Amino acid sequence: MCSVKSGLKMVTTTTATTTINKTVDLRSDTVTKPTESMRSEMAKAEVDDDVLGHDPTALRLEQEMAEIAGKEAAIFVPSGTMGNLISVLVHCDERGSEVILGDNSHIHVYENGGIATLGGVHPRTVKNEEDGTMGISAIEEAVRTPKGDLHHPVTKLICLENTQANCGGRCLRVEYIDKVGELAKKHGLKLHIDGARIFNASIALGVPVKRIVQAADSVSICLSKGIGAPVGSVIVGTKSFIAKARWLRKTLGGGMRQIGVICAAALMALHENLPKLEGDHKKAKFLAEGLNRIDRVRVDVAAVETNIIYIDIPEDPKFTAEDACKSLEHVGVHVIPQSKFRYVIYLHL
Ligand SMILES: Cc1ncc(COP(=O)(O)O)c(C=O)c1O
């Protein structure tokens, strides 16, 4: 028997001893729903026109996020994708300039090539190692600064991702980021961090966000992932960077009016849910250990540092990862099919 709940099939499964009547949605930490307290904050939010720069709740959120990240200023944007796009475009302000980024990075794999199609920015990919890093020497070899060679685009920017989602939510360490920052400085480049899950990295490493991103010129931080806000991201950086970002956000159609309504939910999410990320990480580890005990299923438990678990099913044409996903779907466990497939743990699980 099936019933429909939130667009997903709710499955009733009867085993010899018990009847399970629920879905478990492990597709992503983006599927969280606003809590009662977020909805109540939204209802009473003070608002004004944010395009004109006067929404008090947006200003409060931006100030708080700038403080958390240890940067001069911040701006709310509708999505992490727009946060990354704006950041890359501000740093690579001449068409045809180049950004060095991971071949498995979200910006490169999942953001529709927006930096190239909309910004004329050339992506130079460097291999992401299993731990989410790119080799320091590999980055340095990829740098192309002006040497009078008219064949090459000029490198302007390096992008890191922390946590690195496609590498299983791995955390980039402060020492590593500082080294990349030094390299960027040495070559006159900027450093941007896609910090969609920087709060997860901060909790897992036990290091404040501001220290992790100290070497970065800009960071895009998602509010609608682990901490569970319904909408939005924030970009942080210097005042002059954010002023340019504000201009570009308007160009891209991301200037919104009474956004205090959604910023109020984000503020509540920040205050209420940040401390809960540690619980997500513990659950992910626990689940990974359990999965690893299942025959034919392999999880690198040590690599589960935050809320993402990558599950490997050995190559077998008779039972592929896709078949496994279908079987899980059948019993009400929703995952996104990939060659390896992943479980993502979040607030409501
Ligand atoms: C690492 C990373 N960066 C950026 C994004 C983009 O965020 P959004 O979906 O809000 O555009 C995501 C989304 O899942 C992500 O995982």
Side-chain angles (χ1 to χ4, degrees):
M1 187 182 82
C2 288
S3 61
V4 174
K5 196 185 172 209
S6 310
L8 291 173
K9 263 192 253 164
M10 187 169 79
V11 177
T12 301
T13 310
T14 306
T15 68
T17 51
T18 179
T19 297
I20 305 158
N21 192 351
K22 64 181 294 198
T23 58
V24 181
D25 189 354
L26 300 173
R27 289 171 302 168
S28 177
D29 48 9
T30 55
V31 302
T32 49
K33 309 247 165 63
T35 57
E36 278 310 312
S37 46
M38 286 185 215
R39 286 173 190 272
S40 138
E41 288 300 303
M42 291 169 87
K44 54 184 196 231
E46 272 186 84
V47 297
D48 202 330
D49 190 324
D50 183 61
V51 174
L52 301 180
H54 295 143
D55 187 292
T57 312
L59 292 172
R60 208 151 46 85
L61 174 67
E62 289 167 350
Q63 191 181 346
E64 194 162 327
M65 289 297 291
E67 276 162 24
I68 288 173
K71 303 293 179 200
E72 284 175 12
I75 182 171
F76 183 87
V77 287
S79 68
T81 301
M82 192 185 280
N84 284 329
L85 178 62
I86 289 175
S87 302
V88 173
L89 266 51
V90 171
H91 292 306
C92 299
D93 51 358
E94 268 177 274
R95 286 183 73 79
S97 47
E98 187 165 75
V99 54
I100 296 173
L101 76 179
D103 63 349
N104 220 351
S105 63
H106 198 277
I107 297 178
H108 187 60
V109 180
Y110 295 122
E111 297 183 9
N112 282 341
I115 56 168
T117 53
L118 301 176
V121 178
H122 185 253
R124 181 94 192 265
T125 56
V126 168
K127 185 178 180 312
N128 274 120
E129 303 299 337
E130 278 187 8
D131 66 359
T133 60
M134 298 179 273
I136 298 283
S137 54
I139 299 176
E140 187 148 33
E141 276 163 30
V143 175
R144 303 197 272 194
T145 41
K147 292 184 191 113
D149 186 334
L150 54 78
H151 298 91
H152 298 156
V154 174
T155 312
K156 290 267 179 86
L157 176 67
I158 301 171
C159 288
L160 298 176
E161 182 177 316
N162 201 9
T163 66
Q164 217 297 350
N166 260 4
C167 293
R170 299 297 296 267
C171 302
L172 304 185
R173 270 62 182 168
V174 172
E175 303 73 36
Y176 170 77
I177 299 172
D178 285 354
K179 272 193 198 144
V180 177
E182 277 164 31
L183 179 71
K185 273 215 177 74
K186 179 175 149 192
H187 292 282
L189 311 177
K190 298 291 183 194
L191 174 62
H192 170 71
I193 298 180
D194 174 356
R197 295 184 181 80
I198 198 74
F199 292 129
N200 294 86
S202 166
I203 297 283
L205 296 171
V207 178
V209 171
K210 65 171 72 165
R211 177 63 193 95
I212 299 178
V213 304
Q214 192 174 295
D217 297 284
S218 60
V219 190
S220 169
I221 302 174
C222 286
L223 304 160
S224 61
K225 306 262 176 332
I227 63 165
V231 184
S233 286
V234 164
I235 320 171
V236 295
T238 61
K239 281 186 186 155
S240 87
F241 172 87
I242 294 300
K244 290 178 193 161
R246 194 169 293 282
W247 196 275
L248 255 177
R249 182 184 71 171
K250 186 75 181 84
T251 310
L252 293 169
M256 299 176 290
R257 302 296 174 175
Q258 284 71 29
I259 60 168
V261 174
I262 45 181
C263 292
L267 276 163
M268 179 48 81
L270 204 54
H271 302 156
E272 207 176 37
N273 296 332
L274 198 47
K276 297 184 187 159
L277 293 180
E278 194 176 359
D280 294 350
H281 300 173
K282 281 190 182 145
K283 280 183 204 156
K285 199 69 151 181
F286 181 73
L287 185 55
E289 282 161 359
L291 285 162
N292 216 17
R293 288 199 285 274
I294 300 173
D295 198 24
R296 293 170 37 77
V297 170
R298 205 187 69 80
V299 179
D300 181 355
V301 177
V304 179
E305 293 180 333
T306 56
N307 64 330
I308 298 178
I309 309 167
Y310 266 94
I311 298 150
D312 214 358
I313 306 245
E315 282 285 313
D316 178 352
K318 287 197 223 110
F319 192 74
T320 60
E322 199 147 317
D323 295 328
C325 292
K326 279 190 199 138
S327 305
L328 285 168
E329 191 80 17
H330 203 66
V331 292
V333 178
H334 301 285
V335 292
I336 293 178
Q338 291 176 334
S339 56
K340 278 186 178 188
F341 62 95
R342 66 172 201 184
Y343 288 171
V344 186
I345 305 299
Y346 55 88
L347 196 61
H348 307 319
L349 291 169

